[in-house]
Amino acid sequence: MPADYSLPRDACSYGYFLLAPNRWDVEEQSLSRPLRLPGGVVHTQLTQPAGPGTPLTAATSRTLSSADKASLRAQVTRMLRLDEDERHIAGFHRLDPRWKRSGRARLFRSPTMYEDVVKTITSCNVTWPGTVQMNRRLCEVLGEAPPGGAGGFPDQARVARARPEMLRARCRVGYRDARLIEVSRLFARGVIRPAWFEDPSTPDDDVYDALIDLPGVGPYAASNIMQLLGRYSRLPLDTESVRHGRTVLGMKGSSAQVMRQVRTHFAPFGAHAFRSYWFEMWRFYESKHGKAWTWERDSTGKLFTAAHLNAPSRIRRVDAASVGHSP
DNA sequence: GGTAGACCTGGACGC
DNA sequence: GCGTCCAGGTCTACC
């Protein structure tokens, strides 16, 4: 467990914390979602009762076996980046001291690479409400739910078996239907091996080349998946980058010209470029809407979508387990 | 290597 | 309530 870890700051650090099946509770300052464990899907609620720098607690909807606990620990560690190298973070703060005082460095992600890839594909060529909608419906339609709870993120094998017409009609994924099924098949068949992508000895360029070959993944998506893999040297440039370049950094020119300027602007941050870029953008969002951990899904969330996520999940039995790397 | 146009959905807008 | 326009990255065809 990192000594400086802050659940509100570090969980509410990337937009995926607002996407199903994740649910951030502003009042309780807790993060909830179903997780797939060896013994079945379980609803999990993460809190940090004693505040920043203290252990996280996981409340689950049933008693966990030791195998379940190990899997839960691994998935939470990935989501919250609890195992991120603290020397690497210190290096980031040395290079860009703007974030040293707040301690910002970790970026929220999914418990699996598969979920990150699907979430990235559902964020392409669509406005944010569309991304919210697609993820909500994917979980509702294809996600396995713990007893009495809402659906979790769909299993890759289940999406691999889905029919494109069904995905399009019920999950509203549009033309992404076949691409999502194909990428799910690649995961399900073991053609995509997350361990290879997550292995620090695999060169960034090799990872990028492999990602951009995936259906539905272009330059933006590949760069975004790379940051989700902990590889921060590339910037996923999109229309938001252009807006940021123009309104915050005062850049001029066509979209393509501004994108080039943004890339050049953050190049000095080298292996940490994405974090410098992202926290600058995040600070802008928070200047408009307040701190991200105060973003109510049903009020701030409605800035993104008219429909709201439903069915608050119920915790039937609490099995508290410390989560993190310290014993 | 660069570019035009299609792909699909949901929100905004005008009537 | 309906029709039209627009935003959003990827992919293919073409130059």
Side-chain angles (χ1 to χ4, degrees):
Chain A
M1 178 72 203
D4 71 326
Y5 195 82
S6 166
L7 184 67
R9 179 196 66 196
D10 296 333
C12 307
S13 58
Y14 191 67
Y16 289 4
F17 88 96
L18 292 165
L19 296 181
N22 299 309
R23 181 186 162 84
W24 175 257
D25 187 307
V26 173
E27 203 152 306
E28 297 185 5
Q29 295 286 286
S30 67
L31 180 73
S32 304
R33 63 167 288 154
L35 289 172
R36 186 173 296 102
L37 305 180
V41 176
V42 65
H43 184 82
T44 309
Q45 183 185 42
L46 299 169
T47 54
Q48 195 173 29
T54 66
L56 299 175
T57 297
T60 54
S61 53
R62 63 170 165 78
T63 303
L64 304 184
S65 67
S66 57
D68 285 335
K69 284 180 182 172
S71 177
L72 182 140
R73 184 180 292 256
Q75 293 186 57
V76 169
T77 295
R78 188 185 196 280
M79 260 198 302
L80 305 181
R81 305 210 199 213
L82 298 176
D83 58 351
E84 185 130 38
D85 186 346
E86 298 198 29
R87 286 170 305 177
H88 199 244
I89 289 176
F92 166 55
H93 286 154
R94 270 197 303 279
L95 200 58
D96 192 347
R98 291 178 297 171
W99 319 109
K100 184 173 169 58
R101 188 154 166 259
S102 65
R104 280 209 177 279
R106 292 183 175 82
L107 289 147
F108 181 80
R109 59 178 171 175
S110 303
T112 64
M113 177 185 168
Y114 170 68
E115 184 175 331
D116 275 338
V117 169
V118 170
K119 279 184 157 56
T120 298
I121 292 173
T122 61
S123 74
C124 290
N125 196 30
V126 69
T127 53
W128 181 250
T131 304
V132 171
Q133 178 89 309
M134 282 185 245
N135 280 274
R136 181 172 67 84
R137 294 199 188 213
L138 282 168
C139 294
E140 284 175 1
V141 174
L142 291 166
E144 191 181 344
F153 199 78
D155 179 55
Q156 56 208 34
R158 189 154 183 202
V159 181
R161 289 193 303 271
R163 290 175 56 239
E165 301 78 22
M166 191 280 289
L167 269 190
R168 184 176 291 223
R170 296 188 60 196
C171 303
R172 312 300 292 167
V173 299
Y175 65 88
R176 298 165 196 79
D177 53 1
R179 296 172 192 178
L180 286 171
I181 290 170
E182 184 54 32
V183 87
S184 301
R185 285 179 180 158
L186 294 172
F187 272 96
R189 291 173 184 160
V191 177
I192 299 175
R193 290 189 304 112
W196 181 82
F197 288 88
E198 293 177 342
D199 183 346
S201 71
T202 308
D204 276 7
D205 287 348
D206 292 359
V207 168
Y208 184 83
D209 290 346
L211 289 172
I212 211 157
D213 276 346
L214 300 180
V217 175
Y220 163 81
S223 300
N224 195 56
I225 296 166
M226 286 192 73
Q227 69 86 4
L228 292 162
L229 289 165
R231 299 169 183 271
Y232 304 111
S233 61
R234 292 171 192 256
L235 300 186
L237 297 172
D238 60 1
T239 52
E240 266 301 281
S241 319
V242 175
R243 181 205 55 73
H244 186 74
R246 288 194 175 124
T247 62
V248 177
L249 302 174
M251 293 168 177
K252 305 256 187 287
S254 67
S255 292
Q257 288 169 329
V258 172
M259 281 194 190
R260 278 194 289 274
Q261 292 171 62
V262 170
R263 186 180 286 116
T264 304
H265 180 84
F266 288 97
F269 296 106
H272 302 286
F274 177 77
R275 289 202 270 214
S276 289
Y277 161 82
W278 183 256
F279 290 131
E280 209 176 274
M281 298 245 290
W282 204 242
R283 184 170 63 185
F284 176 79
Y285 298 146
E286 291 190 327
S287 75
K288 298 286 177 197
H289 302 301
K291 291 295 184 187
W293 56 81
T294 68
W295 294 357
E296 287 276 6
R297 191 181 61 184
D298 296 333
S299 53
T300 305
K302 280 184 179 171
L303 292 172
F304 307 115
T305 180
H308 60 273
L309 308 180
N310 59 5
S313 37
R314 279 168 291 163
I315 295 180
R316 287 153 49 133
R317 187 166 50 176
V318 171
D319 176 28
S322 174
V323 177
H325 276 264
S326 59

